[in-house]
Amino acid sequence: SAVISQKPSRDICQRGTSLTIQCQVDSQVTMMFWYRQQPGQSLTLIATANQGSEATYESGFVIDKFPISRPNLTFSTLTVSNMSPEDSSIYLCSVPVQGADGYTFGSGTRLTVV
Amino acid sequence: GQNIDQPTEMTATEGAIVQINCTYQTSGFNGLFWYQQHAGEAPTFLSYNVLDGLEEKGRFSSFLSRSKGYSYLLLKELQMKDSASYLCAVRGQGYSTLTFGKGTMLLVSP
């Protein structure tokens, strides 16, 4: 299955600033997914990032707050903009497993907004 | 939409068997997944069911009944390292995305 390198692993940010999270995959994948996991909660899908087109956002998430880039088939970024303490979460990227059913996750970015 | 329900937490003893249930209501169905997540780590894939029945993988088995909207994850010969959160996730028909339940925190004690 694909190996995903996600950076940064953690960060502490001031409110009002922005943080960009990167995911690099060791193989080409059509779809990449970005999730948020708030403290003590399960994963919530933020958006699906397809190469060459705009990301598709889930209800409750908007592009102005969570802009996504997908410049090629192995890389994507998620930016958390104008952060507030409510954005403190773990953010994870995920890709489908090639040739099998299942999804691989990046190691996650633990974001704390102060 | 999707609605997925699983118990919040469970406890069990080392060496025992535990069954974690998951019920779902979905507008379409294209597979059910179980993931294990240790604290501070990313989820790791455990099992996948798309047809009714039992899938066995070593100490872990997963069962699906599509007509009942029901699945369970069975963990045998529990070990301390099995203490983790277990996430049930459903993939809707025609979609590639997963909807996750809130997770079941399993605590294995000596």
Side-chain angles (χ1 to χ4, degrees):
Chain A
S1 61
V3 175
I4 304 174
S5 173
Q6 183 172 345
K7 298 178 185 179
S9 58
R10 60 179 64 229
D11 207 343
I12 300 173
C13 300
Q14 296 291 324
R15 68 178 67 201
T17 63
S18 297
L19 175 72
T20 295
I21 302 166
Q22 301 179 5
C23 275
Q24 178 76 51
V25 189
D26 68 349
S27 58
Q28 294 185 337
V29 292
T30 305
M31 304 177 84
M32 290 180 73
F33 308 101
W34 287 97
Y35 288 87
R36 180 174 74 181
Q37 188 172 28
Q38 293 177 302
Q41 302 296 314
S42 191
L43 284 76
T44 301
L45 181 66
I46 297 171
T48 302
N50 298 315
Q51 194 270 334
S53 64
E54 293 242 339
T56 303
Y57 289 82
E58 297 299 305
S59 175
F61 298 96
V62 295
I63 188 170
D64 290 346
K65 175 68 175 176
F66 297 101
I68 287 172
S69 78
R70 187 78 204 277
N72 57 55
L73 291 174
T74 64
F75 186 78
S76 179
T77 68
L78 170 77
T79 299
V80 186
S81 303
N82 188 25
M83 288 184 284
S84 67
E86 291 71 34
D87 294 320
S88 297
S89 286
I90 298 173
Y91 292 85
L92 300 113
C93 60
S94 175
V95 300
V97 175
Q98 302 287 19
D101 280 294
Y103 299 80
T104 299
F105 286 84
S107 53
T109 297
R110 183 180 293 273
L111 171 62
T112 302
V113 184
V114 297
Chain B
Q2 324 269 41
N3 185 41
I4 300 170
D5 195 30
Q6 52 182 128
T8 304
E9 55 184 45
M10 299 180 70
T11 58
T13 307
E14 201 172 10
I17 299 173
V18 71
Q19 177 175 310
I20 303 174
N21 297 323
C22 172
T23 57
Y24 63 90
Q25 296 95 40
T26 62
S27 55
F29 180 83
N30 190 21
L32 186 142
F33 298 78
W34 283 96
Y35 279 83
Q36 180 191 61
Q37 186 177 27
H38 286 99
E41 298 181 12
T44 55
F45 172 76
L46 290 179
S47 70
Y48 166 70
N49 296 71
V50 68
L51 300 177
D52 291 351
L54 188 68
E55 294 282 341
E56 296 189 76
K57 251 188 185 181
R59 293 191 300 115
F60 293 3
S61 303
S62 58
F63 171 83
L64 175 68
S65 168
R66 289 172 296 171
S67 62
K68 295 181 179 177
Y70 168 69
S71 173
Y72 67 72
L73 180 70
L74 192 71
L75 293 78
K76 303 175 187 175
E77 302 169 17
L78 281 172
Q79 303 173 9
M80 299 294 289
K81 68 178 183 179
D82 296 329
S83 292
S85 182
Y86 290 85
L87 307 173
C88 173
V90 173
R91 182 169 60 192
Q93 185 69 39
Y95 294 96
S96 298
T97 59
L98 298 181
T99 301
F100 283 83
K102 295 188 186 303
T104 298
M105 180 65 66
L106 174 66
L107 178 61
V108 180
S109 57

